[in-house]
């Protein structure tokens, strides 16, 4: 066993943590011994420490720099800033660094002044970079988001398949890290990155102090009742006392309605969603932190990096979109090791809501995620076992003896058969969610800006024939309505592109385009819309757009879509909070090549550009023709 005294000292003195978290010590010991490691830990478990801590130890020992390959420029920059703030010499090399910065980083690396060097995968596989590594002293290679090597995964990055080439130049241990690790992906990571007899560190996904429960409900009234009961059981009816509870809802409107109902029932309750102003959100969070409100009703927007140790109960008023999301949110209960209760209220309407909120572009994956969630809700065996098996791919987890299926299997099975007899709820219950404000918080029914207009015009241009305005709006929102399907509108490249915008807003925008004569309306009873003559003269936004073949537009859109989902997972946001689909469509249209051009994209503010701009530009450059590509890696 390697002596971890140095590592523990670094963890305490440089990072301010008192002890290793599960898995960290094993991973750190492996690389300090010079062995390869494959680290599978749940999100938030502290994967970065697994390479940052040994990097500092190795640098102290004169072993050189740790090179970290990371696919997200925004996160690289965050990490470098964080490390520098702790007095650790770190830098990043990627396409968005100017020449001067790159030169000084390279100089520092060669001089052995860097503890950590972050690098994009594109840069990492360039010959020039490999030569550079040959001139430097390298202690270790860390491959973050290692599942990007998997061709089966949603985050596949071709450069990851070539990262093993670095081993030809660098004789140093490799540590690969991920939170996604079915056996197939784990095998691909070990093979694709050419790990040599790696120490595998598999986090414990079990939470022995949590009791999981699923209840099946149809309408809101019985859900409110069940929520009140769960909160009361956790002792949260009293306005003061120990512990707190979180109630997660899928939509803002529902969040507000549930908060009202709980308030009326006498709870000290606040609510939180991304549609509220920053100030109001901060207040809601502070009141909850200080215990003035003991219950917080929130969308998944709540929770970014926030850990309260004494959350006693987490109710999902509506089922979330995946077990990943569920585990992350429910896992906020019982962080202090004391008992926590995780109750999911499930109904067929929740699946509808999720389909509506989910991405059309990645329908297959979201559908798989929903199926896994549905299986969990309908299961009659230990719920912890299901969760652990889902995340680790192994099925040797003991039953928890705390969940509803362990405690009262008869009742759980009974609920299952009663449920199957019931007709599906369908759109009825979901209907009341349909009128939600758009994700941008605009009131419903007002016309939207250039990006959305462009999506509508493109969709009309791509439609096989003239299309009814309501059907068009529904297709753009990703509806599976019969008319949408029979008219083949599901195959439109823009299908579901505007899922986060309300139908009323899309209709208002179509009407505005008609008023502006950019669309022409025909027929009275069943009006259809088409482009004005000449039929294919498409109106364009002024700006740096460049004519290009149509099929390429999808690759930028697809990659940005996958990017926003990855960022959303990392930041624990909703995907649309990273980038709205209309914004992605506009980026694809205009192909901005500079920050200035990005600033002209409607819906991309300075904060978004500061945070995500570099990544967006990298995607656009990577996906644009070589003659225009200026990416150096
Ligand atoms: P992951 O990459 O696994 O999602 P991070 O590396 O971002 O997780 O770490 C999540 C959080 O856990 C960070 O706030 C980090 O400071 C904290 N953390 C990491 N290691 C420890 C530790 N040993 N003790 C306490 N907190 C830790």
């Amino acid at each position: 066993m390697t002596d971890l005294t140095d590592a523990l000292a670094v963890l305490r003195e440089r990072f301010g943590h008192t002890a290793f978290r599960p898995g960290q010590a094993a991973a750190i010991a492996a690389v300090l011994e010079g062995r390869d490691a494959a680290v599978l830990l749940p999100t938030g478990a502290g994967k970065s420490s697994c390479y940052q801590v040994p990097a500092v130890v190795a640098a102290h020992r004169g072993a050189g720099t740790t090179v970290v390959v990371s696919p997200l420029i925004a996160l690289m920059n965050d990490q470098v800033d964080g490390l520098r703030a702790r007095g650790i010499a770190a830098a990043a090399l990627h396409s968005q660094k100017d020449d001067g910065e790159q030169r000084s980083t390279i100089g520092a690396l060669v001089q052995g002044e860097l503890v950590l060097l972050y690098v994009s995968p594109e840069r990492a596989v360039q010959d020039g970079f490999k030569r550079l590594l040959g001139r430097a002293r390298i202690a270790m290679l860390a491959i973050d988001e290692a599942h990007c090597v998997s061709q089966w995964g949603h985050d596949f990055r071709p450069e990851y398949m070539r990262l093993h080439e670095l081993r030809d130049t660098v004789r140093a241990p490799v540590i690969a890290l991920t939170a996604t690790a079915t056996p197939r992906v784990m095998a691909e990571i070990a093979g694709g990155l050419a790990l040599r007899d790696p120490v595998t560190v598999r986090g414990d996904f079990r939470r022995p102090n949590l009791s999981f429960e699923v209840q099946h409900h149809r309408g809101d009234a019985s859900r409110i009742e069940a929520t009140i009961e769960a909160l009361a059981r956790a002792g949260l009816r009293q306005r003061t006392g120990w512990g707190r509870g979180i109630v997660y809802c899928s939509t803002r409107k529902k969040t507000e309605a549930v908060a009202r109902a709980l308030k009326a029932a006498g709870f000290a309750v606040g609510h939180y969603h991304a549609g509220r102003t920053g100030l109001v959100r901060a207040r809601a969070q502070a009141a909850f932190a200080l215990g003035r409100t003991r219950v917080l009703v929130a969308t998944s927007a709540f929770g970014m990096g926030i850990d309260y140790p004494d959350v006693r109960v987490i109710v999902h008023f509506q089922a979330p979109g995946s077990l990943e999301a569920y585990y992350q949110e429910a896992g906020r209960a019982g962080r202090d090791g004391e008992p926590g209760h995780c109750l999911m209220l499930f109904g067929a309407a929740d699946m509808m809501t999720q389909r509506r909120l989910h991405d059309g572009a990645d329908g297959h994956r979201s559908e798989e995620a929903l199926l896994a969630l549905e299986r969990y809700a309908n299961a009659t065996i230990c719920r912890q076992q299901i969760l652990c098996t889902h995340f680790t791919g192994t099925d040797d987890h003991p039953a928890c003896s705390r969940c509803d299926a362990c405690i009262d299997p008869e009742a759980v099975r009974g609920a299952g058969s009663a449920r199957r007899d019931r007709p599906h709820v369908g759109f009825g219950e979901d209907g009341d969610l349909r009128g939600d404000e758009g994700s941008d918080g605009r009131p419903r029914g007002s016309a939207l800006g250039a990006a959305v207009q462009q999506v509508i015009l493109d969709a009309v241009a791509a439609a096989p024939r003239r299309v009814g305005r309501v059907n068009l709006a529904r297709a753009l929102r990703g509806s599976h309505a019969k008319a949408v399907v029979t008219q083949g509108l599901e195959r439109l490249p823009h299908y579901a592109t505007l899922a986060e915008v309300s139908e009323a807003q899309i209709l208002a925008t179509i009407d505005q385009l008609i008023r502006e004569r950019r669309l022409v309306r025909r027929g009275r009873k069943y009006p259809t819309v088409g482009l004005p003559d000449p039929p294919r003269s498409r109106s364009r936004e002024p700006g740096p757009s460049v004519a290009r073949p149509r099929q390429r537009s999808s690759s930028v859109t697809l990659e940005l879509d996958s990017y926003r989902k990855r960022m959303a997972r990392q930041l624990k946001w909703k995907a649309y909070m990273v980038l709205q689909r209309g914004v992605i469509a506009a980026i694809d249209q205009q192909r901005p090549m500079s920050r200035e051009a990005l600033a002209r994209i409607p819906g991309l503010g300075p904060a978004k550009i500061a945070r995500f701009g570099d990544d967006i530009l990298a995607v656009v450059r990577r996906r644009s023709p070589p003659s225009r590509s200026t990416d150096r890696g």
Side-chain angles (χ1 to χ4, degrees), residues 492-514:
L492 279 182
H494 306 81
Y495 178 77
T497 306
L498 302 177
E500 286 127 11
V501 180
S502 76
E503 187 173 313
Q505 283 177 312
I506 300 178
L507 288 173
T509 312
I510 294 175
D511 291 343
Q512 184 183 324
L513 289 169
I514 294 170

Side-chain angles (χ1 to χ4, degrees), residues 390-409:
H390 179 79
F391 286 104
T392 62
T394 56
D395 53 8
D396 51 355
H397 309 277
C400 72
S401 74
R402 306 182 71 102
C403 70
D404 52 351
C406 283
I407 288 176
D408 197 351

Side-chain angles (χ1 to χ4, degrees), residues 80-281:
V80 168
D81 292 347
L83 288 162
R84 286 184 181 165
R86 296 177 189 287
I88 298 167
L93 275 183
H94 51 69
S95 57
Q96 307 305 318
K97 293 283 184 194
D98 66 37
D99 289 344
E101 277 180 292
Q102 303 216 22
R103 266 196 303 276
S104 76
T105 299
I106 289 170
L109 174 72
V110 174
Q111 294 298 314
E113 290 162 6
L114 289 179
V115 176
L116 287 124
L117 173 67
Y118 283 78
V119 59
S120 63
E122 292 78 13
R123 169 58 70 101
V125 297
Q126 283 175 5
D127 289 339
F129 185 73
K130 287 187 235 165
R131 280 196 296 277
L132 175 63
L133 289 190
R135 289 163 53 209
R137 201 171 159 76
I138 304 300
M140 181 178 34
L141 284 176
I143 316 289
D144 206 3
E145 310 271 354
H147 61 276
C148 290
V149 80
S150 166
Q151 293 193 64
W152 302 101
H154 45 287
D155 288 341
F156 174 56
R157 292 285 288 258
E159 301 82 17
Y160 266 65
M161 305 254 281
R162 290 184 51 205
L163 287 177
H164 65 89
E165 295 168 13
L166 294 177
R167 299 215 88 147
D168 302 340
T169 337
V170 177
R171 284 169 47 90
V174 175
I175 178 170
L177 308 107
T178 177
T180 313
T182 59
R184 174 157 81 179
V185 173
M186 284 302 269
E188 281 181 296
I189 289 174
L193 299 176
L195 300 185
R196 292 174 195 143
D197 185 24
V199 172
T200 300
V201 176
R202 205 183 275 278
D204 189 353
F205 284 78
R206 265 182 323 142
R207 295 291 305 277
N209 57 324
L210 300 189
S211 55
F212 291 91
E213 180 185 356
V214 178
Q215 290 181 13
H216 292 258
H217 288 270
R218 294 178 79 170
D220 280 1
S222 73
R223 293 188 195 222
I224 293 281
E225 229 173 84
T227 306
I228 290 175
E229 195 199 314
L231 296 174
R233 241 195 299 161
L236 297 174
R237 222 185 231 300
Q238 288 76 31
R239 301 209 137 232
T240 55
W242 176 73
R244 54 190 112 216
I246 303 174
V247 179
Y248 279 107
C249 298
S250 302
T251 66
R252 297 170 183 186
K253 192 177 154 193
K254 196 65 92 185
T255 303
E256 289 171 3
V258 171
R260 269 197 304 277
L262 294 178
K263 194 174 230 160
F267 289 91
V269 55
H271 74 281
Y272 185 106
H273 61 62
R276 307 189 82 192
T277 64
L279 184 65
V280 175
R281 280 206 307 264

